[in-house]
Amino acid sequence: MKNIRTAMNLGAFDFVTKPIEFPDLEATIGKTPQRGTEMLRQAEAAKELKEKNEQLREIDDLKTQFFTNISHEFRTPLTVIYGMAEQIEENPDRWLG
């Protein structure tokens, strides 16, 4: 019983003890296809999550690139406008006279 508890605490649930109890053996063998299909479903779900995660990363990269480009496109003309406004403020007669 101690070994069974230890095995179950470590994650083992489909095993056969010695001496072999044939009803237990049959039950374990009967569960094997169920466990296999469950594991396949979990693997497919993990694969889908991985693909969605990769898509989200790609979208995030595109968003970052987009906002980088937008900020650059605004910053350049605003810097020119700001520079001209400073020059006009320093010497209004030269520019407005």
Side-chain angles (χ1 to χ4, degrees), residues 24-55:
D24 291 342
L25 177 63
E26 288 177 17
T28 299
I29 291 171
K31 291 179 192 175
T32 302
Q34 293 172 341
R35 298 259 189 221
T37 54
E38 183 180 324
M39 289 175 68
L40 284 174
R41 273 191 239 123
Q42 289 174 350
E44 288 176 18
K47 183 180 176 183
E48 287 177 22
L49 285 175
K50 182 181 177 185
E51 289 172 0
K52 287 180 182 180
N53 193 22
E54 288 173 4
Q55 289 174 348

Side-chain angles (χ1 to χ4, degrees), residues 3-94:
N3 289 341
I4 292 173
R5 271 194 228 107
T6 303
M8 292 178 87
N9 287 337
L10 294 172
F13 293 98
D14 293 333
F15 54 87
V16 178
T17 59
K18 292 181 185 175
I20 295 176
E21 303 269 341
F22 285 100
D24 291 342
L25 177 63
E26 288 177 17
T28 299
I29 291 171
K31 291 179 192 175
T32 302
Q34 293 172 341
R35 298 259 189 221
T37 54
E38 183 180 324
M39 289 175 68
L40 284 174
R41 273 191 239 123
Q42 289 174 350
E44 288 176 18
K47 183 180 176 183
E48 287 177 22
L49 285 175
K50 182 181 177 185
E51 289 172 0
K52 287 180 182 180
N53 193 22
E54 288 173 4
Q55 289 174 348
L56 286 173
R57 281 195 180 121
E58 287 178 24
I59 290 170
D60 189 53
D61 290 343
L62 288 171
K63 179 190 72 167
T64 300
Q65 186 63 40
F66 173 75
F67 282 114
T68 299
N69 290 342
I70 290 280
S71 67
H72 173 75
E73 294 301 322
F74 279 122
R75 192 179 317 124
T76 302
L78 289 175
T79 302
V80 171
I81 293 168
Y82 182 73
M84 290 300 297
E86 280 185 332
Q87 289 180 17
I88 292 169
E89 188 178 56
E90 289 172 5
N91 191 355
D93 294 334
R94 177 177 175 209

